[in-house]
Amino acid sequence: MHMQDYIASQISCIATTALTLALPILLLMCSTLSIVAQDKAPVISAQNISRLGPARQIDYADLDGEFEVGWFATDKSASEFVILDRDMRVYRVWDPEAVREIHFMETSPDDVIAVLDAMYLGDIPVVLFRHERHAYINRHQLGQANEYLALFGDSERNEIIVEAIDSEGEPVFLRYQMSSDGEMLTFDSRVAMPTLESNAPAVRVGRVPFPHVILSSLSDGNLTVYRLVNSSGAFAKDQYALVDGPAVAGSLNGNQFAWIDPRSERLNLLDLSSGENRVVADLGGKYAQYLLLTHDASAIIMVNVDFKPHVYAWVAFSGQRLDLGPYRECGRIPDKVSLSGDGASLIIGCDRGLEIWQIIPAQ
């Protein structure tokens, strides 16, 4: 055998052996990736919402500390949470076996701390709080307003928006840029809160995140939707005439706005693009503590209707009503209910802990 043929045969043998050894590893990797993909909870929609149910819990009784407030913030996939203990100390929680207190600064037992709001910017917990006379985002001291109210954010742009009351008593949005590691916070701009041109009384529809502001007139029921369109603070404005308005509670997702009238007679879905309003269901005066709209706006979820500890859903197109069952036993109504950023989890927080609802696989 020539030397060249011998070398070629050895290379072929080595390659075959390497492939044989690598194949089980590749198959294992593919299998693992398949399992991970299968374990990812599907996004909640009208097609699967009949299978929405409790998937896991975080019980405060299992945690090392004194927890009794169901308020929380969650990351995009509801895999991690920020919670508070009775003394307003902040904790990151993955599960009952993974709880860690977050220390933003050195404090003494006599210090007065008030947590105002929290959110996640990517995988970084962002906490707005007041310590003594100053307000902070994590360890960064703020100074552009007298009163701070709420947090909003854009993870793709590493942007944090703080709703506040400025030194002149005017409501504003303060925009900040945070570095990807959370170590730097830079003030960007101040955006004035839009107001109606007339002096007619109006209510602001809550739980609608910036860059939208929705005002509902109490005199004629008209709805005004503002949306920030550029960094200079300009808002686009659209108006809609609501029959049986005003909207006193609502949930916005894209161009779809689910809302309820003051007497809780009807559940509505307004298309902001076309202006078409559809009555989804007659509520008959039943009051919902929490109203949420799925990411594709195909279903509307209500939690704790007429103080009944149940989760209900309506299919937006047909109006079909589903009683999805009770949530965990609590000593009072939930302190907070929200959908995760990926739309795959419903989180219910009360004095006993957190309950995470997801789509249960079909049997």
Side-chain angles (χ1 to χ4, degrees):
M1 176 181 293
H2 295 291
M3 180 61 67
Q4 292 177 338
D5 293 335
Y6 174 77
I7 293 173
S9 66
Q10 292 302 305
I11 292 175
S12 176
C13 180
I14 292 171
T16 302
T17 303
L19 180 60
T20 302
L21 292 173
L23 187 58
I25 298 175
L26 292 172
L27 290 174
L28 179 59
M29 290 174 61
C30 292
S31 176
T32 303
L33 291 173
S34 176
I35 291 172
V36 170
Q38 290 174 2
D39 287 344
K40 185 177 180 181
V43 176
I44 303 167
S45 71
Q47 293 183 338
N48 58 24
I49 200 166
S50 63
R51 293 187 282 111
L52 180 64
R56 58 192 175 96
Q57 290 184 346
I58 293 178
D59 295 315
Y60 287 164
D62 295 337
L63 305 185
D64 184 15
E66 296 181 339
F67 299 92
E68 55 187 29
V69 180
W71 181 91
F72 62 88
T74 181
D75 65 0
K76 184 176 181 179
S77 61
S79 58
E80 180 182 305
F81 304 90
V82 164
I83 62 173
L84 307 175
D85 69 6
R86 191 168 60 183
D87 297 321
M88 299 291 277
R89 290 191 292 258
V90 182
Y91 294 78
R92 297 177 75 169
V93 179
W94 294 269
D95 57 56
E97 302 300 324
V99 183
R100 189 176 75 218
E101 183 177 357
I102 306 176
H103 297 278
F104 295 120
M105 62 178 60
E106 293 296 328
T107 60
S108 66
D110 295 330
D111 287 355
V112 177
I113 297 176
V115 175
L116 306 175
D117 204 356
M119 53 169 268
Y120 275 79
L121 198 66
D123 59 358
I124 299 175
V126 177
V127 181
L128 173 67
F129 66 97
R130 184 171 290 278
H131 175 238
E132 302 299 334
R133 294 180 299 169
H134 300 289
Y136 297 83
I137 290 179
N138 294 359
R139 62 176 60 90
H140 310 287
Q141 183 176 328
L142 307 180
Q144 283 80 24
N146 283 350
E147 184 179 0
Y148 296 85
L149 304 174
L151 281 176
F152 306 99
D154 185 337
S155 294
E156 293 183 359
R157 301 177 57 184
N158 287 334
E159 183 178 60
I160 297 172
I161 300 96
V162 184
E163 183 178 342
I165 305 296
D166 69 11
S167 57
E168 303 298 323
E170 298 296 327
V172 294
F173 294 105
L174 304 173
R175 304 174 67 190
Y176 297 85
Q177 291 291 323
M178 177 174 275
S179 60
S180 58
D181 60 3
E183 294 300 317
M184 295 289 293
L185 183 73
T186 306
F187 177 70
D188 183 271
S189 61
R190 173 188 182 279
V191 178
M193 175 83 73
T195 58
L196 294 177
E197 296 175 358
S198 66
N199 293 324
V203 295
R204 180 181 170 192
V205 180
R207 303 192 183 110
V208 174
F210 186 87
H212 289 87
V213 176
I214 299 182
L215 301 176
S216 192
S217 172
L218 297 177
S219 58
D220 55 18
N222 284 344
L223 192 77
T224 304
V225 178
Y226 295 93
R227 179 177 55 83
L228 186 71
V229 293
N230 59 44
S231 58
S232 65
F235 282 86
K237 182 179 76 171
D238 293 294
Q239 291 186 308
Y240 307 87
L242 299 183
V243 178
D244 297 325
V248 296
S251 180
L252 177 68
N253 209 323
N255 286 319
Q256 302 296 317
F257 178 61
W259 64 278
I260 299 175
D261 61 274
R263 295 170 297 279
S264 294
E265 294 294 336
R266 295 179 180 85
L267 174 61
N268 302 267
L269 187 63
L270 172 66
D271 188 321
L272 300 183
S273 297
S274 66
E276 177 188 0
N277 185 78
R278 183 168 70 252
V279 176
V280 176
D282 291 326
L283 298 177
K286 296 183 182 298
Y287 176 75
Q289 296 289 340
Y290 293 93
L291 169 68
L292 305 109
L293 185 61
T294 60
H295 276 206
D296 64 355
S298 65
I300 301 169
I301 300 171
M302 289 188 187
V303 178
N304 196 282
V305 178
D306 272 359
F307 302 101
K308 187 176 181 180
H310 273 236
V311 177
Y312 300 90
W314 281 262
V315 176
F317 178 76
S318 66
Q320 178 189 4
R321 175 183 178 273
L322 302 170
D323 183 346
L324 300 177
Y327 53 82
R328 65 174 306 148
E329 182 180 349
C330 297
R332 58 176 182 263
I333 64 173
D335 296 314
K336 183 175 179 179
V337 176
S338 72
L339 288 173
S340 58
D342 61 5
S345 300
L346 170 71
I347 307 103
I348 302 171
C350 72
D351 58 329
R352 306 290 174 81
L354 309 183
E355 186 167 82
I356 298 93
W357 288 46
Q358 294 175 336
I359 301 302
I360 307 302
Q363 298 298 323

